[in-house]
Amino acid sequence: MINIAILGFGVVGAGVAEVIAMNSDSIAQHLGEELKVKHILDIRDFPDSPFADLITHESSDVFSDPEVKVVVETIGGAKIAYEFTKQALSAGKSVVTSNKELVATHGVELMELAKANGCQYLYEAAVGGGIPIIRPLHRCLAANKILRIAGIVNGTTNYILTNMRTAGLSYDEALKQAQAKGYAEQNPSADVDGIDAQRKLSILSSIALNGDYVAPEEINTTGISDITLEDIDFATKIDCSVKLLAIFSNMDENKPSAFVAPFFVAKKSQLAPVEGVFNAVLVKGNAVGTTMYYGRGAGKLPTASAVVGDVLEASRAPEANAYTKNWHKCDGRVTAEFDDIKTNIIVRAKAGSMENLNDKFSTYNTAAVWDGNDCCAVIVYDILHKDIEKLVSSVDGKWLHYME
Amino acid sequence: MINIAILGFGVVGAGVAEVIAMNSDSIAQHLGEELKVKHILDIRDFPDSPFADLITHESSDVFSDPEVKVVVETIGGAKIAYEFTKQALSAGKSVVTSNKELVATHGVELMELAKANGCQYLYEAAVGGGIPIIRPLHRCLAANKILRIAGIVNGTTNYILTNMRTAGLSYDEALKQAQAKGYAEQNPSADVDGIDAQRKLSILSSIALNGDYVAPEEINTTGISDITLEDIDFATKIDCSVKLLAIFSNMDENKPSAFVAPFFVAKKSQLAPVEGVFNAVLVKGNAVGTTMYYGRGAGKLPTASAVVGDVLEASRAPEANAYTKNWHKCDGRVTAEFDDIKTNIIVRAKAGSMENLNDKFSTYNTAAVWDGNDCCAVIVYDILHKDIEKLVSSVDGKWLHYME
């Protein structure tokens, strides 16, 4: 029998206990022995939970119990979760987490600590919820140079953007609905300002660069709070959807780049039909070409699915190397300055200004996408971020990133 | 340094050598040491290949070389590949393969042999080419009961069906074009008759059932050679695409089921936009919900990407358990008889016969999908395969499977 402990009995922590109970037979078949939740550490009591008698308030019950081989950290945040993770790893217990903030912030140190103590620090659930993405990226695509990642990695913002389009709601109305449905927090900043996506992109980029750690602070991030219903309606006109994308690129000889921003995504893209709380990540490797991973990026049981998958991995081979190469801090920033990253954008300006648009952007490759009574718009290819604002204001226009 | 050998220098074998050469730095970073192709076994010479001096015609050069830790089998077929795989595993060398026929036919024995000799038999490339699917299915989704798999797993047939629609070609014309482009063999039977898809479904089903081996012979298989341009045009009318699907289902308390057949796939399905030689596999787990994996299902470098990913896995941990639980033969068939499997179909009959259709299928849930001057059609839900032919001929109709 393998004994584990769960730290933090919130939505995901409860999901982990539930999945282990629900699929105990199948999990035992995988593992060759039973998987048992021995302790659940939380400051609260849960008298009505079927797992009430596993609750403890004493962290020493977990960390001093030699029978506990794997610790699930579903506390969230980078404070108490950080301290507890260090304690568990120092005690030689593998830690499995869904905590993107902690992995993105302290991953380098925690992976090192796991290695030093002959155990694992696993985080498949930290990106894409239940969608297998961390292990496929690092293990299945290990033979590739990763050229590009483009992901819808935040379900809350995708739900809001989808709802603005389908129900014709303003951003504020759509946010309120998302909050009412429990898809957005009362303080929605981490989602709508792109911070959650930034952390996930930090994780994906660090893996794609074979462990060169890309800190969240390196990743220029724009959220969705400035997206208007007019943007959404215009996207529909030009056969696009508006999506908040996390972009990593390592296509040429320059530095790799990473940023988070709202995009017009062309309907023909595999990302365009990804609606509501679903997530999807496109990964392009230099051998495999483009692959995509799609599913529920959040939620109790989907996230628990990924956590428990990692628990099985850690139980089977506690002393093996973790499934990703450990990260390491590099001197200075790993990725290019935002100003120096090239991108494609769609610029729109008032009706009748197509000539002016073509004129002002004449040194770029452009393509007209709309010339109507309401406005006109062009795609501008390969423009540096630092050149965007000045040029766009010279035509009194608005712009968003564009992905084909 | 890790030394490997490649058996069979065809398209995929050459791709493996090419990927290892192309990405040697990144691969060495993953592995912590250099990965070197030491021998390539083939009956032919390749004087113009950059790998010409690695070619040997003597299998003993490979099997008696203690430096060779991993053997890549890209011969294909289940004869000489089977003998060589047994020799390699018996010598304690891990084997990595893209050979779905061999895995589907002799996987049980070869996995046992690997285990007995402390090495691995890995086959990520056998399904979906470069798309990560085997490892995600078994490792990342290990906490789930797998309820359903629906996959476009054969690129040749998907190319033909796509081309019939976009270019208005007959099946025979589209097949000829596919052959001219190298997407179909001169004897196309393994692809167009669904045999390749059947083998891949045998592999996916055996993994989904935690190692209960589903033999290819259990899987009722219909190919695409009877699909007409009329079927394709009708699909477009009713907002569907025609796709050859490999279906595994384990939804209820009955036996699991598995079959391969052409389907009308509704446009809203994630599988509908998968065009040309691309593959995609939907996997539904009872915790994670629906996930999808998409990419190039065949081709030199994509398939080599998966093979070399497995080579790295086998090099890192040759004595670890393979990434899937070993399979075992069960008494009798594992899956339900085809006749006893329920499915959804679309039945179409001559114009004006809607009343007759509703009458003949009155004991089923049905939904009208078309009532035009050319024909009329209904969806019939949850019909047993054994009841289809009689009922459809009673309305003088045609039918295909249907997936929403």
Side-chain angles (χ1 to χ4, degrees):
Chain A
M1 183 189 298
I2 301 274
N3 287 286
I4 72 165
I6 299 171
L7 312 183
F9 200 59
V11 172
V12 178
V16 169
E18 190 176 327
V19 165
I20 291 172
M22 174 171 83
N23 291 337
S24 57
D25 289 354
S26 150
I27 287 169
Q29 261 190 295
H30 268 272
L31 207 52
E33 55 192 315
E34 197 189 335
L35 182 68
K36 189 184 150 192
V37 180
K38 191 171 176 191
H39 309 289
I40 298 172
L41 180 69
D42 202 292
I43 48 169
R44 300 163 290 180
D45 280 310
F46 295 87
D48 300 330
S49 162
F51 305 104
D53 55 340
L54 304 179
I55 300 280
T56 174
H57 310 307
E58 295 297 330
S59 63
S60 61
D61 284 352
V62 173
F63 300 123
S64 306
D65 185 341
E67 286 188 352
V68 171
K69 300 297 178 201
V70 181
V71 170
V72 169
E73 183 269 297
T74 45
I75 301 169
K79 290 180 184 161
I80 187 76
Y82 176 51
E83 297 306 326
F84 280 166
T85 299
K86 285 196 290 188
Q87 276 191 54
L89 294 171
S90 299
K93 301 178 193 307
S94 291
V95 174
V96 171
T97 189
S98 60
N99 186 338
K100 41 256 172 197
E101 181 178 354
L102 187 57
V103 177
T105 313
H106 296 292
V108 175
E109 177 192 356
L110 296 172
M111 289 172 204
E112 274 311 307
L113 192 59
K115 191 177 176 186
N117 287 281
C119 54
Q120 302 201 46
Y121 184 53
L122 302 180
Y123 50 93
E124 176 66 71
V127 182
I131 307 169
I133 177 65
I134 303 292
R135 195 182 276 101
L137 180 59
H138 197 75
R139 295 300 275 269
C140 304
L141 304 185
N144 291 263
K145 181 186 173 194
I146 302 300
L147 301 177
R148 191 171 166 79
I149 297 171
I152 297 169
V153 294
N154 180 273
T156 304
T157 46
N158 205 48
Y159 176 84
I160 291 171
L161 294 169
T162 301
N163 216 15
M164 287 173 75
R165 179 174 60 74
T166 55
L169 300 179
S170 72
Y171 169 76
D172 288 330
E173 290 165 337
L175 171 60
K176 265 181 207 149
Q177 275 209 4
Q179 286 170 322
K181 292 209 172 192
Y183 292 147
E185 315 258 345
Q186 283 317 302
N187 177 352
S189 171
D191 290 316
V192 300
D193 293 337
I195 299 164
D196 176 75
Q198 181 192 56
R199 290 169 181 152
K200 289 166 175 168
L201 185 58
S202 155
I203 295 172
L204 294 174
S205 302
S206 301
I207 298 172
L209 292 170
N210 271 344
D212 289 355
Y213 171 59
V214 178
E217 305 82 63
E218 284 192 30
I219 299 174
N220 187 292
T221 297
T222 309
I224 64 162
S225 55
D226 289 338
I227 298 295
T228 62
L229 198 47
E230 192 198 339
D231 295 324
I232 303 278
D233 289 342
F234 180 69
T236 304
K237 277 185 198 164
I238 60 170
D239 268 343
C240 287
S241 295
V242 178
K243 302 288 180 193
L244 182 70
L245 296 188
I247 300 284
F248 165 85
S249 179
N250 196 15
M251 303 288 276
D252 49 32
E253 297 307 306
N254 299 325
K255 270 192 169 181
S257 62
F259 67 96
V260 173
F263 274 68
F264 289 123
V265 176
K267 277 272 184 280
K268 62 187 168 189
S269 162
Q270 291 287 325
L271 293 179
V274 177
E275 299 277 43
V277 295
F278 278 83
N279 281 195
V281 183
L282 281 178
V283 179
K284 185 175 182 180
N286 72 343
V288 74
T290 297
T291 58
M292 190 182 78
Y293 312 85
Y294 166 89
R296 289 186 180 275
K300 185 180 188 178
L301 296 187
T303 307
S305 162
V307 170
V308 181
D310 274 357
V311 168
L312 295 185
E313 176 105 9
S315 302
R316 264 190 297 250
E319 287 162 42
N321 288 330
Y323 51 42
T324 71
K325 199 167 179 305
N326 278 9
W327 303 349
H328 48 266
K329 286 213 165 91
C330 304
D331 290 339
R333 49 184 301 149
V334 172
T335 54
E337 294 282 350
F338 187 62
D339 274 355
D340 300 330
I341 302 172
K342 282 187 177 172
T343 186
N344 302 330
I345 61 174
I346 288 183
V347 181
R348 66 185 196 273
K350 66 174 191 291
S353 60
M354 185 61 88
E355 208 171 321
N356 187 32
L357 273 172
N358 284 327
D359 184 48
K360 290 293 196 312
F361 290 91
S362 62
T363 59
Y364 298 90
N365 279 326
T366 59
V369 285
W370 189 257
D371 195 359
N373 293 327
D374 48 349
C375 66
C376 60
V378 293
I379 305 168
V380 181
Y381 293 97
D382 286 330
I383 183 168
L384 288 168
H385 278 107
K386 67 177 158 205
D387 296 329
I388 295 175
E389 290 298 345
K390 209 175 95 184
L391 277 164
V392 171
S393 49
S394 79
V395 296
D396 198 18
K398 293 189 67 175
W399 71 279
L400 268 193
H401 290 276
Y402 172 61
M403 188 173 100
E404 275 170 328
Chain B
M1 183 189 297
I2 301 275
N3 286 286
I4 71 165
I6 298 170
L7 311 184
F9 200 59
V11 172
V12 178
V16 169
E18 191 176 327
V19 166
I20 291 172
M22 175 171 84
N23 291 337
S24 56
D25 289 354
S26 150
I27 287 169
Q29 261 190 296
H30 267 272
L31 208 52
E33 55 193 314
E34 198 189 335
L35 182 68
K36 188 184 152 194
V37 179
K38 190 171 176 191
H39 309 288
I40 298 172
L41 180 69
D42 202 293
I43 50 170
R44 300 161 291 179
D45 281 310
F46 296 86
D48 301 330
S49 162
F51 306 103
D53 55 340
L54 304 178
I55 300 279
T56 174
H57 309 307
E58 296 297 330
S59 64
S60 60
D61 285 352
V62 173
F63 301 122
S64 306
D65 185 341
E67 287 189 353
V68 171
K69 299 297 178 202
V70 181
V71 170
V72 169
E73 183 270 297
T74 46
I75 300 169
K79 288 177 186 164
I80 187 76
Y82 175 52
E83 297 305 327
F84 280 166
T85 299
K86 285 195 290 188
Q87 276 190 55
L89 294 172
S90 300
K93 300 177 192 309
S94 291
V95 174
V96 171
T97 189
S98 59
N99 186 338
K100 42 255 173 198
E101 181 177 355
L102 188 57
V103 176
T105 313
H106 296 293
V108 174
E109 178 192 355
L110 296 171
M111 290 172 202
E112 274 310 307
L113 192 58
K115 190 177 178 188
N117 287 281
C119 54
Q120 302 201 44
Y121 184 53
L122 301 180
Y123 50 93
E124 176 66 72
V127 181
I131 308 169
I133 176 66
I134 303 291
R135 196 182 275 102
L137 179 59
H138 198 74
R139 295 301 275 269
C140 305
L141 304 186
N144 291 262
K145 181 187 174 194
I146 303 299
L147 301 177
R148 191 172 166 78
I149 297 172
I152 296 169
V153 293
N154 180 273
T156 305
T157 46
N158 205 49
Y159 177 84
I160 291 171
L161 293 170
T162 302
N163 216 15
M164 287 174 74
R165 178 174 61 75
T166 55
L169 301 179
S170 72
Y171 168 77
D172 288 331
E173 290 165 338
L175 171 60
K176 266 182 207 147
Q177 275 209 3
Q179 287 170 322
K181 293 211 171 191
Y183 293 147
E185 315 259 343
Q186 284 315 302
N187 177 352
S189 171
D191 290 317
V192 300
D193 294 336
I195 299 164
D196 176 74
Q198 180 191 56
R199 289 169 181 150
K200 290 166 176 169
L201 185 57
S202 154
I203 294 172
L204 294 175
S205 303
S206 301
I207 297 172
L209 292 170
N210 270 344
D212 289 354
Y213 171 58
V214 178
E217 305 82 64
E218 284 191 31
I219 298 173
N220 188 293
T221 296
T222 308
I224 65 161
S225 56
D226 289 338
I227 298 295
T228 63
L229 197 48
E230 192 198 338
D231 295 324
I232 303 278
D233 290 342
F234 180 69
T236 304
K237 275 184 199 165
I238 59 170
D239 268 341
C240 287
S241 296
V242 178
K243 303 287 180 195
L244 183 69
L245 296 188
I247 300 284
F248 165 84
S249 179
N250 196 15
M251 303 288 276
D252 49 31
E253 296 308 307
N254 299 324
K255 270 191 168 181
S257 63
F259 67 96
V260 173
F263 273 69
F264 289 124
V265 176
K267 278 270 184 278
K268 63 187 167 188
S269 163
Q270 290 286 326
L271 293 178
V274 177
E275 299 277 42
V277 296
F278 278 82
N279 282 194
V281 183
L282 282 177
V283 178
K284 184 175 183 181
N286 72 341
V288 75
T290 296
T291 59
M292 190 181 78
Y293 312 85
Y294 166 88
R296 289 185 181 276
K300 186 179 187 178
L301 296 188
T303 307
S305 161
V307 170
V308 181
D310 274 356
V311 168
L312 295 184
E313 175 105 11
S315 302
R316 265 190 296 248
E319 287 162 44
N321 288 331
Y323 50 43
T324 72
K325 199 167 180 302
N326 278 10
W327 303 347
H328 48 267
K329 287 213 163 90
C330 302
D331 289 339
R333 49 183 301 150
V334 172
T335 53
E337 294 282 351
F338 187 62
D339 275 355
D340 299 329
I341 302 172
K342 281 186 179 175
T343 187
N344 301 329
I345 62 173
I346 288 183
V347 181
R348 66 186 197 272
K350 66 175 192 292
S353 60
M354 187 60 90
E355 207 171 320
N356 188 32
L357 273 172
N358 284 327
D359 184 47
K360 289 294 197 312
F361 289 92
S362 62
T363 59
Y364 298 91
N365 280 326
T366 60
V369 285
W370 189 258
D371 194 359
N373 292 327
D374 49 349
C375 66
C376 59
V378 293
I379 305 167
V380 181
Y381 294 97
D382 287 328
I383 183 168
L384 288 169
H385 277 106
K386 67 178 160 203
D387 296 329
I388 294 174
E389 290 298 346
K390 211 176 93 184
L391 276 164
V392 171
S393 50
S394 78
V395 296
D396 199 18
K398 294 189 68 176
W399 70 278
L400 268 192
H401 291 275
Y402 172 62
M403 188 174 102
E404 276 170 329

